[in-house]
């Protein structure tokens, strides 16, 4: 396996100070042999979301890029489109800052499945 990241997790957040820490650690703590990166896009939060993210980055910034929009777009597409050039991986996954992953092997499981089944272009689960 080469050293390039295979997946970018895009985290869109806005005023998620109560949830962003759990969200980010659910990504950071994934157990996988695949390299992945986390792209955090703060849609100009007005609460303490930015400070919480910066605190987490102090100890966990190896595969994390953080951006704060100059204005609030109020929607996923607007905020994410501003940073689309940052995504250079074969696969992308989306998670909002008030969500989190319950399984520490979710990335591993999904990427193995996608790589074994190239005719599949996406996966999802019920919520």
């Amino acid at each position: 396996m080469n050293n390039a990241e295979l997946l970018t997790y895009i985290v869109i957040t806005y005023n998620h100070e109560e949830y962003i820490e759990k969200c980010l650690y659910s990504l950071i703590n994934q157990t996988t042999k695949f390299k992945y990166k986390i792209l955090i896009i703060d849609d100009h939060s007005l609460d303490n979301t930015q400070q919480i993210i910066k605190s987490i980055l102090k100890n966990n910034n190896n595969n994390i890029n953080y951006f704060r929009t100059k204005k609030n777009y109020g929607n996923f597409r607007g905020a994410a489109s501003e940073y689309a050039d940052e995504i250079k991986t074969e696969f992308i996954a989306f998670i909002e800052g008030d969500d989190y992953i319950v399984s520490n092997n979710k990335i591993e499981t999904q990427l193995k499945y996608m790589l074994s089944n190239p005719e599949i272009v996406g996966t999802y689960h019920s919520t």
Side-chain angles (χ1 to χ4, degrees), residues 6-87:
L6 192 58
L7 168 77
T8 298
Y9 245 102
I10 302 171
V11 180
I12 299 287
T13 187
Y14 176 73
N15 288 349
H16 289 144
E17 69 181 353
E18 293 181 43
Y19 313 102
I20 192 66
E21 183 174 15
K22 189 170 188 176
C23 172
L24 294 178
Y25 279 114
S26 78
L27 297 173
I28 291 166
N29 293 326
Q30 288 292 301
T31 303
T32 178
K33 67 180 180 186
F34 300 107
K35 291 190 177 215
Y36 64 99
K37 105 189 233 187
I38 301 168
L39 174 62
I40 305 167
I41 303 170
D42 179 358
D43 194 16
H44 210 79
S45 293
L46 302 175
D47 63 2
N48 290 315
T49 299
Q50 180 177 7
Q51 291 78 12
I52 294 166
I53 293 168
K54 286 181 176 183
S55 175
I56 292 169
L57 288 174
K58 286 180 185 175
N59 297 317
N60 301 286
N61 66 356
N62 291 344
N63 65 339
I64 303 174
N65 293 76
Y66 169 61
F67 299 95
R68 179 176 162 85
T69 60
K70 293 180 175 97
K71 65 174 188 167
N72 175 259
Y73 285 93
N75 64 60
F76 191 92
R77 190 174 86 184
S81 67
E82 190 170 325
Y83 300 98
D85 290 344
E86 296 294 322
I87 304 165

